[in-house]
Amino acid sequence: QLQMQESGPGLVKPSETLSLTCTVSGGSISSSSYYWGWIRQPPGKGLEWIGSIYYSGSTYYSPSLKSRVTISVDTSKNQFFLKLSSVTAADTAVYYCARRPIFGVLTNAFDIWGQGTMVTVSS
Amino acid sequence: QSALTQPASVSGSPGQSITISCTGTSSDVGAYNYVSWYQQHPGKAPKLMIYDVSNRPSGISNRFSGSKSGNTASLTISGLQAEDEADYYCSSYTSSRTQVFGGGTQLTVL
């Protein structure tokens, strides 16, 4: 059973860069059948898609965050990463990583999610 | 891209049916049959309930169903149960090869 786990600092200072890791276990991140994504949820608010990456490194980003976001992948470690620069209090949120199949019966939906990690932006 | 539009809240009594709407544009909901729905209980990660407009993943009750007409998708829950009380989010693939979520709907089981 594939599992995903987010990790990283829970507190980031304003104007600094938020860095998170998603570790995939029980399956290979190098599979050609999936995109791997980041989604966030500010306290008491809705879900916001941040971006997705393919094992080859191909990425797609939310237009509203594109100038500050970098998503990368390390297939040797079965991990992918999120970097969000110049953070403000508005970036305080629970950050989730999730899998999106692109081939097969179930496609174009996030079918497996990590438990989420809370990141607070504060000095 | 703008978030998809969902009602902030809906409610129903046990055993009744409710429908949650999700309105987008011809660039997202109306463009593809790639609308999905997620259930989220407090403090938990979202759970996929419907994909490709109307398909249920393995293990999801057939009380949950989805449909789409034009730029609006809908999630219907029949035979409401107490454990259905949660937040529900729709999502769609877009013509820009991005994803967009709805603002979320809080379901209360009276």
Side-chain angles (χ1 to χ4, degrees), chain B residues 14-81:
Chain B
Q16 288 187 332
S17 295
I18 63 95
T19 296
I20 300 171
S21 62
C22 170
T23 301
T25 70
S26 57
S27 296
D28 39 61
V29 174
Y32 308 96
N33 288 326
Y34 292 146
V35 175
S36 50
W37 289 90
Y38 303 86
Q39 177 191 65
Q40 187 180 34
H41 287 110
K44 301 293 187 182
K47 177 183 179 181
L48 178 64
M49 306 301 284
I50 296 286
Y51 67 95
D52 291 354
V53 174
S54 59
N55 295 309
R56 287 184 307 275
S58 175
I60 300 302
S61 170
N62 60 10
R63 297 187 300 104
F64 292 84
S65 62
S67 62
K68 189 186 87 167
S69 177
N71 296 337
T72 299
S74 299
L75 172 71
T76 297
I77 308 174
S78 59
L80 267 180
Q81 300 179 0

Side-chain angles (χ1 to χ4, degrees), chain A residues 35 39 41 45-49 52 60-64 96 100 105-111 113-116, chain B residues 1 34 36 38 40 43-48 50-52 57 89 91 93 96-104:
Chain A
Y35 265 83
I39 298 107
Q41 185 172 35
K45 296 187 178 181
L47 300 170
E48 179 182 20
W49 178 76
S52 296
Y60 295 95
Y61 298 135
S62 166
S64 64
Y96 296 99
R100 180 168 73 88
V105 176
L106 192 163
T107 62
N108 285 294
F110 294 104
D111 65 340
W113 296 64
Q115 65 185 29
Chain B
Q1 62 190 21
Y34 292 146
S36 50
Y38 303 86
Q40 187 180 34
K44 301 293 187 182
K47 177 183 179 181
L48 178 64
I50 296 286
Y51 67 95
D52 291 354
Y89 294 90
S91 181
Y93 185 68
S96 302
R97 305 184 76 172
T98 61
Q99 302 279 149
V100 62
F101 283 95

